[in-house]
Each structure stands twice: as structure tokens, then as C-alpha cells.
Amino acid sequence: MTKDNILFGIVGLLAGLIIGFFVTNSLNKQQGFGAVSAQSPATQTGTLPPGHPDVPPGSTAGDQQSAGANAPEVQAAIAKAKAEPDNFDAQIKAAEFYYQIQRFDGAIEFLKRANQLKPDDYETVVHLGNANFDSDKYDEAEKWYSLALSKKPDDVDVRTDLGLVFMFREPPNYDRSIQEFKRSLEYDPNHPQTLQNLTVAYTKKSDAANASATLAKLEATDKSNPAISKMRTDIDALKTK
């Protein structure tokens, strides 16, 4: 799984998380702390698969998802996957369509079938982590990301997203997030998504010194990052408390 940079919308201490799937690495979340996913965006607001007819004005996200699920190409992919349960590629294709319309439970169902056919397929394991994350199933997401990292411990993107799991779950475990982000930086000290997430985690822990130091590294690596000014404001606010 490969990744492009994704920036969470920033509200309060950075909010609004966008994550993706079968494109270049990312997760899909609609709430957050300003953390940045290490994997790339598929859709931000439930957009339909490429080539799908436009949804009439005024339609809701749920309408779009229903329309997407009923699209001929989606139905054909699902039918093929069900008719050919031993066809790995068919399971992946059906899961991809379900993910594009943000029907994550459907995506998980077919990804699990694919995983049963090819338990050692690394990308499928990572996708299962992503789909469970987007379904708010953080325990499951942790399980699949951890399995992926047992196979490829130097995957900085997946380890960074594992760190995000501990930021989003209730209650958050910022210490564990920081641990995973630090491990990611051992492999890639200038990984911008990890640096941004680590800055946020330190800020959430009210650790202004480490947050400032990490933000300085982020600025040196990714000075055009639009989240920097907001993160600096949040860190400065900690210093005045």
C-alpha cells in the first residue's frame, strides 16, 4: 500500500480526518485531532466510484451510498465475488467498490474472504486494518495493523496509522501513540505524517517542550504544511497555562 499526504481539517485542536483505501495509503475518518493519516485518500465525503452517474442535487451522503451500492458495476462485482468464492481478485474488487461508497462492513466481509484465500497477502491485511479503522472498530484495526507489522515491521505508513488507532479509541492512549510514532521515525526520521501526528500527541498530553521540538522538525521537513500555524498556536496556548 502506498501513500500520499493527507491533511486533516483543523477545528479546535485540529479536527476532521480524511483517510482512504485502495489508492495510495490512507484511512477515512471524519473526526480527529489534526493528525495526518499515513495512507492516501479515496473519498472525502462519500463520493461514488469513478464513472458513476452524478447524484441529483440535494441528495444526502446516505443517498449517495445507496445509489453507489445499486450501480450496475457494483452489483456485478458483488455478484461475481459471491458466485466465485475462491476467486481472490473478485473478493478484492467487491471490497474495493464497497469501500468507495463507504460501506465498510461490506468491504470487511469480502476482505476477510480474500484473506482466507491468501492469508499471507500483505496488502489485504493492511486493507482490513483500514476498513476496520473507518468503521470505528479500533480493536480490530489494531489487530490487523499489528499482524501487518509482524510481517513488515519497517512499514512506516502502517505503523503511523497504528499510532492513530490509539489516538482515536476511547479512552485515547497517547503514550502508546507516541511509542508507535517514535518507532516509525526510527525507520524514517523525516516522515512528515508521523512528525505531525507526534506533535499532536504531545500537545494532547500537554507536553509543550516535546511538541515544540517535534514541530520544529516538521517545519524543517514540510514547511508548507498548512497545519503548522494552528499547531504552533495550540502549543503556545499550553505554555500560557
Side-chain angles (χ1 to χ4, degrees):
M1 181 183 250
T2 58
K3 297 181 180 175
D4 293 329
N5 291 353
I6 304 171
L7 180 63
F8 291 80
I10 303 173
V11 177
L13 177 60
L14 307 167
L17 171 68
I18 305 169
I19 313 168
F21 189 49
F22 290 108
V23 200
T24 50
N25 353 332
S26 200
L27 307 171
N28 174 16
K29 200 81 191 103
Q30 292 182 340
Q31 57 183 354
F33 312 119
V36 132
S37 170
Q39 308 185 67
S40 90
T43 58
Q44 178 170 351
T45 55
T47 52
L48 301 175
H52 190 279
D54 291 338
V55 177
S59 297
T60 65
D63 293 334
Q64 293 184 17
Q65 291 177 15
S66 297
N70 293 323
E73 63 270 32
V74 175
Q75 289 298 312
I78 294 170
K80 182 178 178 66
K82 290 181 177 179
E84 302 177 21
D86 295 329
N87 185 330
F88 174 83
D89 290 337
Q91 308 309 310
I92 291 295
K93 188 65 176 178
E96 179 178 357
F97 273 119
Y98 266 124
Y99 206 99
Q100 289 176 340
I101 59 175
Q102 298 190 353
R103 298 279 289 273
F104 302 122
D105 286 344
I108 291 169
E109 175 187 351
F110 286 104
L111 284 169
K112 283 185 173 179
R113 293 184 186 182
N115 177 252
Q116 290 172 354
L117 294 171
K118 292 186 179 182
D120 294 328
D121 186 80
Y122 181 77
E123 294 300 319
T124 301
V125 172
V126 175
H127 294 331
L128 275 162
N130 291 348
N132 278 285
F133 183 99
D134 289 347
S135 300
D136 298 334
K137 298 174 182 176
Y138 299 118
D139 289 343
E140 282 293 301
E142 178 189 353
K143 181 185 80 172
W144 290 107
Y145 284 146
S146 296
L147 178 59
L149 289 167
S150 72
K151 300 173 182 291
K152 192 176 178 182
D154 61 345
D155 191 326
V156 174
D157 295 327
V158 173
R159 191 171 296 282
T160 297
D161 288 338
L162 175 61
L164 285 179
V165 166
F166 295 105
M167 290 181 71
F168 282 112
R169 68 172 20 155
E170 291 293 339
N173 186 341
Y174 298 119
D175 288 331
R176 180 63 189 277
S177 291
I178 289 169
Q179 175 184 325
E180 296 301 335
F181 296 148
K182 284 183 172 180
R183 290 190 66 185
S184 294
L185 293 173
E186 289 176 4
Y187 293 105
D188 184 355
N190 296 319
H191 194 256
Q193 296 95 333
T194 307
L195 288 169
Q196 180 166 335
N197 291 338
L198 183 56
T199 301
V200 172
Y202 279 133
T203 304
K204 295 295 288 185
K205 278 181 60 67
S206 299
D207 186 342
N210 277 316
S212 295
T214 308
L215 182 60
K217 293 178 182 178
L218 177 63
E219 289 182 280
T221 300
D222 186 19
K223 62 183 179 181
S224 63
N225 188 322
I228 288 175
S229 61
K230 181 64 173 76
M231 287 191 288
R232 184 182 295 111
T233 299
D234 292 328
I235 294 169
D236 288 343
L238 287 178
K239 295 176 179 178
T240 62
K241 289 183 178 179

